[in-house]
Amino acid sequence: MTTTTDLRPPRTGHRAPRRAGLGALAVLLAGAAGLAYGLTDLPGSAADDPGRAAAGAPPSPAEASREGTATGLHPELERRFLAAQRAAAADDVPLTLTSGLRTAAEQQELVDEAVARYGVPEAYRWVLPPEHSAHVQGLAVDVGPTEGAYWLQQHGPDLGLCPTYTNEVWHFELLPEGAAACPEPRPDSSWAW
């Protein structure tokens, strides 16, 4: 049985060198490209090694107490993710948190790195500005490995976790309050620019 300790904390505090952020974005873009061609596992991808994407210190006590959870995620999102993780484990499918809560500064750094590397408008398909990012609010999770992301694509809506973007199979948000079904995923994150 999977335990709460399997829930990896989001990156906070110490940041890896700038090139590591660009590498992580490149891995995500390569993973998305691989998924478009029907690949299920890409060696060296963040989904293949969730520890790389989630490396860093646990949230500060202020961040954790702000949401009342160990991860800083919205308590209902954390509860639903843990339930999904247990259900996936029962199906012998690994499901891990690769990214959760981000600060506005971390999100802006991801935007800046994507723009520097890929230019506009391509970068906008993959990353939102801090004021529109559900990660900054503790309302989004990225999951891995690829097998787990596909499992959650299939079972997440029944567990109250919705796939948000068609180009990011790893990104999930809460089923909107009062909704009976997940909204149709957007093609990408360019809607907020």
Side-chain angles (χ1 to χ4, degrees):
M1 179 172 179
T2 305
T3 64
T4 304
T5 58
D6 293 327
L7 184 67
R8 296 179 188 246
R11 296 181 323 180
T12 59
H14 173 73
R15 295 282 299 169
R18 188 168 186 79
R19 68 183 177 281
L22 290 174
L25 183 60
V27 165
L28 291 175
L29 292 175
L35 294 170
Y37 289 101
L39 301 175
T40 58
D41 289 300
L42 298 172
S45 71
D48 204 33
D49 182 6
R52 276 197 343 241
S60 70
E63 290 170 332
S65 65
R66 174 177 67 198
E67 294 297 339
T69 67
T71 62
L73 291 173
H74 184 282
E76 186 62 16
L77 177 58
E78 183 173 323
R79 186 189 70 72
R80 290 181 190 182
F81 176 76
L82 289 171
Q85 197 174 46
R86 286 188 298 272
D91 287 345
D92 291 323
V93 175
L95 180 64
T96 58
L97 181 69
T98 61
S99 184
L101 178 70
R102 297 179 192 146
T103 66
E106 288 171 328
Q107 188 69 22
Q108 186 60 53
E109 186 173 336
L110 292 175
V111 169
D112 295 344
E113 290 170 351
V115 169
R117 180 153 180 132
Y118 300 103
V120 173
E122 181 62 24
Y124 294 171
R125 294 185 61 236
W126 301 98
V127 63
L128 286 169
E131 63 271 16
H132 292 293
S133 173
H135 282 285
V136 173
Q137 301 169 42
L139 296 172
V141 293
D142 292 344
V143 303
T146 304
E147 178 186 10
Y150 280 133
W151 183 94
L152 199 55
Q153 286 279 324
Q154 182 179 1
H155 300 284
D158 294 334
L159 298 166
L161 295 171
C162 299
T164 310
Y165 303 110
T166 57
N167 71 329
E168 294 185 14
V169 299
W170 55 84
H171 183 96
F172 293 84
E173 297 177 16
L174 283 171
L175 175 72
E177 190 171 328
C182 290
E184 193 67 31
R186 296 177 188 262
D188 56 42
S189 63
S190 62
W191 66 272
W193 294 94

